[in-house]
Amino acid sequence: MPTSPKILVLLFSTTIFLSQQILGTSFSSSSTTCDHGTVIFFFPSFNTSNCNPGGDLLCMGVVTPGEGFLNLTTVSSNSSSTTDFNSIARVLYRDPVQVWPASFCTSFSLSIFSRFSQEFSGDGMAFLMTQDKEPSPVKSFGSFLGLQDKLLAGHSKFQQLAIEFDTFKNEWDPDGNHIGINTLSVMNSLIAKTLNSSNIELKSGKQIRVKIEYNGYTKDLQIYVGYEGNPLKSFLKYSIKVSKKVPSKVYLGFTASTGTLTETHQIHDWVFTSTMLPYYTVKDNKKKAIVLASVLPVVGGLIVFALIAIPIFRRRMIKKRERFRRMEELERQSAAAAPRKFTYKQLAKATKNFSKDNLLGTGGFGSVYKGQIVDPPQTIAVKKISSTSQQGEREYLAEICTIGRLRHRNILQLQGWSHENDSLLLVYEFMANKSLNEFLSGRKFLDWKARYKVLSGLASALLYLHEECGDPVVHRDVKPSNIMLDADLNPRLGDFGLARLLRNTTGVTTMVAGTLGYMAPEVSYTGKATTESDVYSFGVVALEMVCGKRFSNLLGESCLVDYAWDMHAKGTLEECVDPKLGDDFSKDEAVRILSVALSCLHLESNLRPEMRKVVMVLLNSDEPLMELPTTRPKGVYLSLYGFSNPPTTINNSNPNTPLFSWPDYPSSSANSNFPDESLAR
Ligand SMILES: *[C@@H]1O[C@H](CO)[C@@H](O)[C@H](O)[C@H]1NC(C)=O
Ligand SMILES: *[C@@H]1O[C@H](CO)[C@@H](O)[C@H](O)[C@H]1NC(C)=O
Ligand SMILES: *[C@@H]1O[C@H](CO)[C@@H](O)[C@H](O)[C@H]1NC(C)=O
Ligand SMILES: *[C@@H]1O[C@H](CO)[C@@H](O)[C@H](O)[C@H]1NC(C)=O
């Protein structure tokens, strides 16, 4: 397929986008504005109308709009005027804005003019995130920057977070030219750092650009400053959980104050962008409530964890012992629902001490070993997840709660777990026929009946996850290597949530946890896996199963789809069927599956069928098919380009630190029961 320049551009930008998301470098310091996320608001300049009733801003206290700027507090030319003293100004954006779970960025330009000389000037200003749209406390003038009532008493429940630009040295300040991060009290800054080393003088009257970025994954708050027109320099990086400090939705704005010394604080422009994190979203349509991945149980697990952990923290136990106790507690919590616990010794023995002979495969988050336990006699597969962080352990236990409660004949049942000796071990049933990967790489042949059984089973497993198991669970990573086959070639969908688990054990956060090639195109843009994106992945697998070919090979040819659409247009869809099957297949069933697959691959996620419909089409030959256009919808498969050309920046020499799983390469290790061998390159 010839690749047009336009597609190449798209490919390039998507590649950059993905690699930035993956490497967490999306927050660049080079640009002066916020160049990622959705623009929530943008004031290229200010004028009187902004502060008018019904304007975009709530202007409280001494706020004076000028030509293109806002003055917060004033210094009047009348030197005998006293109204400039002890004044407070507060400007808030009219609507509350969601700041978590999200990554956000704000950039603004400020200048500060002193009344007489820089020496006799004060007190400063702050960028503010606050729980309500009330004016500044009455007694918050002077050193309190409009943030905090002098008599702070009884105010501890108030939630705000402020970045201060402090121009007056109080006894608690490093100097009169610093940036600090404050919550309730300006006297106890979380951190304060002088601007001296960056050669920036707040009170110089020069325009100073500030950019503040918060990475919702790493929980890093990064502040950049520079004189307008000069490059921005990274000034301060501070690790902070915004969710601990302010409500999810806050009012954003600025405060400023004067005391016995005065100055004018001026803002010239202001932009705020935000990217929601892919936790979970609920559609308006309640029936279609979509919860991303198995987040609810995980959140539940974390809450349980928090409840247990907080008192223990208070007691300041020795770290190791404390951790151990938490695990024990959580285990008890999960014991009722989850599979059983093994000891490390049991599993070491079962796998001949994790010997090479028992190794079934190596992958992104560890290795998989075949094992034999005696009580009851059973062959198992043990997934060994190495070098876990504390975060990983939490997630891991939450995962056990999630997976443990899911029971379906087409879902790979977790048999148990163990977490001793810094190793996390997950125990599954042993799958005699490995995974669908074996089939797609040509090492195994499946006849038509088997293929139909696999697809019906997979569809019903997804239907179960999406609709029937209580809170909807999004698998996120439906691909051949995650579809195991038991001795009777029954499919077992495995490894849901592990993409997430893996992400957290390595400390690397990825926007998207799915596998390229099987991931719906919108996921690479929105970062949100949904039940619809699972449906897309199902479509890919279905097409591959019927055609006996991989959807997109390393050269990025999506000709499989093109071909299928061509045949559909000609009314000869059955010609797509794997020639190796000869005449041994049902033409009617093949056409049904192929049209289902094509409709699942729709670019518009809301035009894809629900899993329930897919199951009905597969199980009931009278079920009407979805309507398909006669020709391939334009641009629908454009996204496949990106999967052909792994961004080189993602190269990762350590197989235990996966950033992404790539489509399983046909040439990858032949000997695996589990999915991640594609990473063992
Ligand atoms: C103020 O700015 C708004 C846009 O932000 C513009 O529509 C309006 O005309 C401006 N008003 C004045 C008086 O310049
Ligand atoms: C804003 O402040 C500057 C600096 O003090 C001053 O020159 C200007 O007149 C003020 N503008 C308004 C509209 O108050
Ligand atoms: C300066 O301010 C004082 C006190 O507010 C006032 O009495 C005086 O008339 C003002 N002078 C001028 C020139 O505006
Ligand atoms: C920054 O420079 C100013 C002026 O030279 C000085 O007074 C102040 O102490 C310096 N701050 C620090 C923290 O050294």
Side-chain angles (χ1 to χ4, degrees):
M1 189 180 80
T3 317
S4 78
K6 206 168 175 183
I7 295 181
L8 274 178
V9 168
L10 264 170
L11 157 66
F12 183 68
S13 51
T14 306
T15 306
I16 301 241
F17 175 79
L18 283 173
S19 46
Q20 283 178 336
Q21 292 304 328
I22 292 151
L23 298 174
T25 57
S26 59
F27 301 97
S28 68
S29 58
S30 56
S31 76
T32 51
T33 51
C34 295
D35 38 19
H36 289 277
T38 311
V39 175
I40 308 298
F41 54 77
F42 177 34
F43 297 92
S45 69
F46 297 95
N47 67 34
T48 326
S49 68
N50 298 129
C51 280
N52 288 344
D56 297 328
L57 299 175
L58 306 167
C59 301
M60 297 168 274
V62 189
V63 179
T64 336
E67 297 272 315
F69 57 82
L70 293 180
N71 277 0
L72 276 67
T73 72
T74 59
V75 287
S76 40
S77 41
N78 181 346
S79 56
S80 49
S81 164
T82 53
T83 55
D84 310 350
F85 300 106
N86 290 349
S87 66
I88 309 169
R90 176 175 289 220
V91 172
L92 295 177
Y93 182 66
R94 135 194 103 185
D95 299 318
V97 169
Q98 182 170 336
V99 288
W100 62 264
S103 290
F104 61 80
C105 169
T106 189
S107 169
F108 50 87
S109 177
L110 62 89
S111 25
I112 299 176
F113 301 92
S114 43
R115 184 175 189 180
F116 300 119
S117 72
Q118 289 183 18
E119 237 174 301
F120 299 103
S121 180
D123 271 285
M125 62 180 292
F127 170 74
L128 174 68
M129 305 163 82
T130 178
Q131 66 176 43
D132 59 33
K133 51 181 179 183
E134 296 300 310
S136 290
V138 183
K139 294 268 165 59
S140 62
F141 53 79
S143 312
F144 301 100
L145 302 183
L147 294 173
Q148 167 204 343
D149 200 301
K150 232 180 186 168
L151 316 158
L152 185 64
H155 216 224
S156 60
K157 288 238 172 70
F158 196 81
Q159 291 195 295
Q160 68 178 15
L161 186 64
I163 318 290
E164 60 169 357
F165 303 87
D166 197 335
T167 58
F168 183 78
K169 183 185 180 332
N170 293 100
E171 62 263 36
W172 56 80
D173 287 329
D175 62 8
N177 186 41
H178 67 268
I179 294 181
I181 302 178
N182 301 330
T183 51
L184 271 186
S185 158
V186 297
M187 287 175 280
N188 299 303
S189 295
L190 300 173
I191 187 171
K193 187 181 165 190
T194 175
L195 277 158
N196 283 10
S197 53
S198 2
N199 288 322
I200 286 174
E201 177 58 56
L202 285 174
K203 289 167 284 191
S204 61
K206 287 203 243 176
Q207 219 164 303
I208 297 167
R209 175 151 304 275
V210 178
K211 180 158 99 159
I212 300 166
E213 284 176 334
Y214 180 68
N215 184 328
Y217 292 109
T218 60
K219 315 278 188 258
D220 283 325
L221 189 76
Q222 178 100 43
I223 302 173
Y224 304 90
V225 279
Y227 283 124
E228 191 70 63
N230 294 342
L232 278 181
K233 292 221 180 86
S234 173
F235 174 70
L236 185 62
K237 186 171 176 178
Y238 187 73
S239 185
I240 182 171
K241 287 196 173 121
V242 166
S243 57
K244 292 272 157 60
K245 305 294 181 194
V246 291
S248 169
K249 288 196 156 188
V250 294
Y251 287 88
L252 298 169
F254 301 92
T255 61
S257 69
T258 61
T260 49
L261 304 174
T262 64
E263 63 191 13
T264 303
H265 310 88
Q266 212 167 61
I267 346 168
H268 304 267
D269 59 52
W270 184 25
V271 61
F272 186 90
T273 68
S274 154
T275 311
M276 299 300 145
L277 298 194
Y279 285 178
Y280 56 94
T281 52
V282 182
K283 277 199 176 170
D284 299 343
N285 185 348
K286 270 196 180 154
K287 205 175 148 196
K288 270 186 150 187
I290 291 167
V291 178
L292 275 183
S294 44
V295 158
L296 283 188
V298 172
V299 169
L302 290 179
I303 291 169
V304 169
F305 173 83
L307 289 177
I308 297 159
I310 289 163
I312 294 176
F313 268 125
R314 291 236 169 95
R315 269 174 254 143
R316 290 169 195 263
M317 299 290 285
I318 303 158
K319 221 175 176 186
K320 192 109 185 178
R321 178 181 272 186
E322 162 208 313
R323 203 162 101 180
F324 178 75
R325 284 180 55 167
R326 277 202 314 261
M327 300 298 259
E328 293 295 312
E329 280 287 344
L330 258 172
E331 259 163 36
R332 274 201 290 113
Q333 299 275 346
S334 56
R340 70 181 168 124
K341 180 189 170 187
F342 289 86
T343 62
Y344 184 87
K345 220 165 136 191
Q346 271 175 316
L347 295 178
K349 194 174 162 205
T351 56
K352 302 207 182 94
N353 211 11
F354 302 100
S355 76
K356 276 222 165 72
D357 295 344
N358 283 43
L359 185 68
L360 292 166
T362 307
F365 38 85
S367 306
V368 182
Y369 298 86
K370 185 174 176 174
Q372 199 73 46
I373 48 174
V374 282
D375 180 29
Q378 194 191 357
T379 310
I380 53 171
V382 180
K383 183 169 281 195
K384 188 175 188 188
I385 299 163
S386 44
S387 63
T388 53
S389 64
Q390 203 154 330
Q391 166 82 349
E393 284 166 353
R394 260 188 250 175
E395 290 278 324
Y396 159 77
L397 284 168
E399 206 54 49
I400 289 171
C401 299
T402 308
I403 302 172
R405 81 183 159 83
L406 298 170
R407 267 163 237 276
H408 186 272
R409 71 198 137 82
N410 295 117
I411 283 180
L412 185 62
Q413 184 70 46
L414 184 70
Q415 304 283 300
W417 80 97
S418 158
H419 66 75
E420 292 163 44
N421 300 359
D422 277 341
S423 290
L424 306 181
L425 302 168
L426 295 174
V427 181
Y428 296 94
E429 291 166 82
F430 176 75
M431 288 288 118
N433 279 303
K434 298 177 179 170
S435 74
L436 270 195
N437 226 17
E438 294 292 298
F439 155 71
L440 274 171
S441 51
R443 290 190 286 267
K444 187 177 288 164
F445 178 78
L446 296 180
D447 65 13
W448 180 254
K449 259 181 103 172
R451 296 187 202 194
Y452 204 84
K453 182 161 86 171
V454 166
L455 288 177
S456 319
L458 174 60
S460 86
L462 284 170
L463 173 62
Y464 170 78
L465 290 178
H466 290 181
E467 293 187 28
E468 293 173 347
C469 64
D471 305 324
V473 172
V474 177
H475 185 289
R476 291 176 164 222
D477 203 10
V478 177
K479 59 176 173 176
S481 57
N482 275 345
I483 301 159
M484 312 295 156
L485 297 175
D486 70 9
D488 302 321
L489 295 178
N490 291 306
R492 303 287 196 92
L493 182 57
D495 272 9
F496 33 89
L498 285 192
R500 225 173 43 241
L501 174 64
L502 154 167
R503 194 178 68 203
N504 285 301
T505 52
T506 59
V508 175
T509 50
T510 58
M511 182 100 166
V512 190
T515 301
L516 295 175
Y518 296 93
M519 192 172 70
E522 76 273 8
V523 178
S524 55
Y525 300 113
T526 62
K528 290 179 185 173
T530 56
T531 50
E532 286 95 345
S533 59
D534 274 358
V535 169
Y536 180 93
S537 309
F538 173 84
V540 179
V541 174
L543 199 60
E544 290 181 328
M545 289 294 289
V546 176
C547 305
K549 289 195 196 83
R550 283 190 191 266
F551 186 55
S552 61
N553 65 20
L554 281 175
L555 296 173
E557 290 164 331
S558 61
C559 47
L560 195 52
V561 191
D562 282 326
Y563 185 68
W565 273 106
D566 285 351
M567 295 303 119
H568 167 70
K570 285 193 212 152
T572 55
L573 206 42
E574 69 277 6
E575 283 183 29
C576 297
V577 175
D578 188 354
K580 290 196 286 297
L581 284 166
D583 287 331
D584 291 336
F585 68 96
S586 151
K587 183 184 153 186
D588 189 52
E589 285 175 351
V591 170
R592 293 181 78 76
I593 297 183
L594 285 167
S595 20
V596 166
L598 289 180
S599 58
C600 291
L601 292 171
H602 209 292
L603 178 67
E604 292 290 338
S605 57
N606 54 1
L607 295 180
R608 292 173 204 149
E610 289 181 357
M611 228 49 231
R612 179 166 297 281
K613 173 73 178 177
V614 173
V615 168
M616 262 150 44
V617 170
L618 293 185
L619 296 187
N620 175 5
S621 57
D622 295 332
E623 177 73 19
L625 293 172
M626 282 72 56
E627 267 186 53
L628 279 179
T630 44
T631 55
R632 172 184 163 177
K634 263 216 150 66
V636 164
Y637 302 102
L638 222 58
S639 61
L640 293 175
Y641 53 74
F643 309 139
S644 60
N645 201 353
T648 50
T649 43
I650 291 174
N651 263 343
N652 188 342
S653 50
N654 179 359
N656 286 326
T657 322
L659 294 165
F660 236 112
S661 0
W662 297 108
D664 309 292
Y665 303 155
S667 58
S668 65
S669 116
N671 184 18
S672 174
N673 193 22
F674 274 94
D676 342 303
E677 80 270 25
S678 54
L679 283 160
R681 292 176 277 152

